[in-house]
Amino acid sequence: RDLVLCFQSEVIQQPMAVVGNSIGSLIALMVAEQATQGDVIGAVLLNCAGGMNSKFILDEGPAYKLFLPLFWLIEFLLKTEWIIKPLFNNLATRENIQTTLGNIYVNTENVDEELVEMFFKPSEDEGAIETFVSVLTGPPGPRPQNIEPNVKCPICTIWGSSDTITFIDGPVGKYFVDKARQDNSRVQMNIIDSGHCPQDDATEDTNNLMMTFFSDCLPQAS
């Protein structure tokens, strides 16, 4: 969030729209919330995540607290070096990445060698394992439901109907569906035939929706 706000202030230096997918959507929403009034003219959220990691479900209600011991166990295992190193190396293979992407894309033809390499290459970087553990065991961050009421600019949500990670009928999806149905809502909800990454899985539909949204937002920047 802070890096995006700094980039806007020092480089862009004019009103902007923010777009994010999954966790990126959560960051885009945080930027829209914290930006100076008028600096962000619109936010596009593509299959918005409920948190920076899965720990956010612990705040969904008392029943979800039953999962707390499981998260403690997972965190312990992930922070145990002799366990996490071979686990990470076994998971971070081109074959596993391709299989995983194939399960979350509707248009599996888009899961090509270039896409797989985009996900695989960072796993070879120094500190990759530490970053992996930090993301999974760190705090989940604020919930979208808590951020959205503080955002003043229009919000366009685009959701893949076949998303197997952030379900449209999950807590976050339902929240934005309900917000979009309210009278005079500044939140739009668009459900399209896509998986978790609509910008790549259904590029043309996603692009058309974003361009329409941006053209509506631009007059507000003048």
Side-chain angles (χ1 to χ4, degrees), residues 107 110 192-195 197-207:
N107 185 3
N110 286 344
I192 64 175
D193 183 20
S194 168
C197 305
Q199 74 278 8
D200 191 30
D201 206 0
T203 305
E204 185 173 350
D205 290 342
T206 302
N207 188 62

Side-chain angles (χ1 to χ4, degrees), residues 89-201:
N89 291 332
N90 285 330
L91 288 175
T93 66
R94 292 179 175 88
E95 293 76 15
N96 284 336
I97 292 171
Q98 184 166 10
T99 299
T100 300
L101 291 172
N103 289 330
I104 65 176
Y105 272 58
V106 169
N107 185 3
T108 55
E109 293 181 358
N110 286 344
V111 183
D112 56 17
E113 184 178 344
E114 181 181 5
L115 180 65
V116 171
E117 285 298 311
M118 287 174 58
F119 281 87
F120 175 75
K121 282 297 183 183
S123 72
E124 298 183 308
D125 292 345
E126 183 178 354
I129 295 178
E130 291 78 9
T131 301
F132 176 75
V133 172
S134 176
V135 170
L136 293 183
T137 62
R143 301 298 312 282
Q145 299 95 314
N146 297 332
I147 303 173
E148 184 276 330
N150 302 321
V151 176
K152 305 303 181 185
C153 68
I155 298 172
C156 172
T157 57
I158 302 174
W159 220 284
S161 59
S162 299
D163 189 355
T164 56
I165 297 177
T166 53
F167 303 102
I168 184 61
D169 57 354
V172 180
K174 286 181 177 178
Y175 175 83
F176 283 110
V177 167
D178 290 341
K179 291 293 293 188
R181 287 173 177 168
Q182 296 176 8
D183 292 337
N184 301 316
S185 176
R186 55 187 171 65
V187 176
Q188 300 177 18
M189 168 57 82
N190 306 278
I191 302 174
I192 64 175
D193 183 20
S194 168
H196 186 62
C197 305
Q199 74 278 8
D200 191 30
D201 206 0

Side-chain angles (χ1 to χ4, degrees), residues 34 47 84 120 215:
Q34 294 295 321
N47 295 55
I84 186 57
F120 175 75
S215 65

